[in-house]
Amino acid sequence: MKKRILIIEDETSIVELLMLVLMREGYEVKSCQSGREAVSMVKEFHPHLILLDVMLPGMDGASIVRVLSDDEQLGSIPVIVTSALAESQKLFATYPQVKDFCMKPFVLKDLIIKVKQAIGDL
């Protein structure tokens, strides 16, 4: 069974690139582009990992992590936060499900390593 990754990102070009690379790595990948859509998508898709942008329409990344952490089942899904804002790293440091942080623009090879570590494939 393929491991599932949910990309929560509003920049279409980033979503397309990540989906292509992660599918090539053998993962089942879905995406959504707004914070409001994210929580319901997590509940439907049951991902093994979430790649989460910070600045999203409808609900920001920090709010999504708070909602997920309040849910017993969803709070255990590991999250890798992606952001162009360095100060975002401090914001997410207190959430145990946030396993890593990746600054944009990121190096794909480095992100794939972080994904594999967080999902338990390394």
Side-chain angles (χ1 to χ4, degrees):
M1 180 170 90
K2 290 184 177 184
K3 291 189 178 173
R4 297 175 303 279
I5 298 175
L6 177 62
I7 301 167
I8 305 171
E9 168 68 61
D10 62 336
E11 291 185 46
T12 304
S13 59
I14 292 175
V15 171
E16 290 172 354
L17 177 63
L18 289 175
M19 288 189 78
L20 177 69
V21 170
L22 292 169
M23 286 189 292
R24 228 186 287 165
E25 289 291 325
Y27 298 108
E28 181 180 347
V29 185
K30 288 194 178 184
S31 68
C32 60
Q33 295 186 316
S34 76
R36 291 189 186 134
E37 184 183 13
V39 176
S40 62
M41 182 70 105
V42 171
K43 290 178 181 179
E44 290 172 22
F45 186 51
H46 302 286
H48 294 94
L49 176 70
I50 297 169
L51 290 177
L52 176 65
D53 186 22
V54 174
M55 296 185 300
L56 296 162
M59 180 187 293
D60 66 11
S63 298
I64 293 169
V65 169
R66 278 193 293 278
V67 168
L68 296 177
S69 66
D70 288 342
D71 185 294
E72 194 173 297
Q73 292 179 337
L74 304 179
S76 63
I77 300 170
V79 175
I80 296 176
V81 173
T82 62
S83 179
L85 305 171
E87 59 271 10
S88 297
Q89 192 167 4
K90 292 178 186 174
L91 174 68
F92 289 94
T94 59
Y95 295 101
Q97 70 267 42
V98 175
K99 301 302 178 194
D100 216 326
F101 185 87
C102 201
M103 283 293 299
K104 291 180 182 177
F106 44 76
V107 176
L108 279 175
K109 184 178 177 181
D110 294 341
L111 180 62
I112 296 302
I113 290 170
K114 290 176 186 230
V115 165
K116 288 183 177 190
Q117 287 173 334
I119 212 165
D121 283 348
L122 272 185

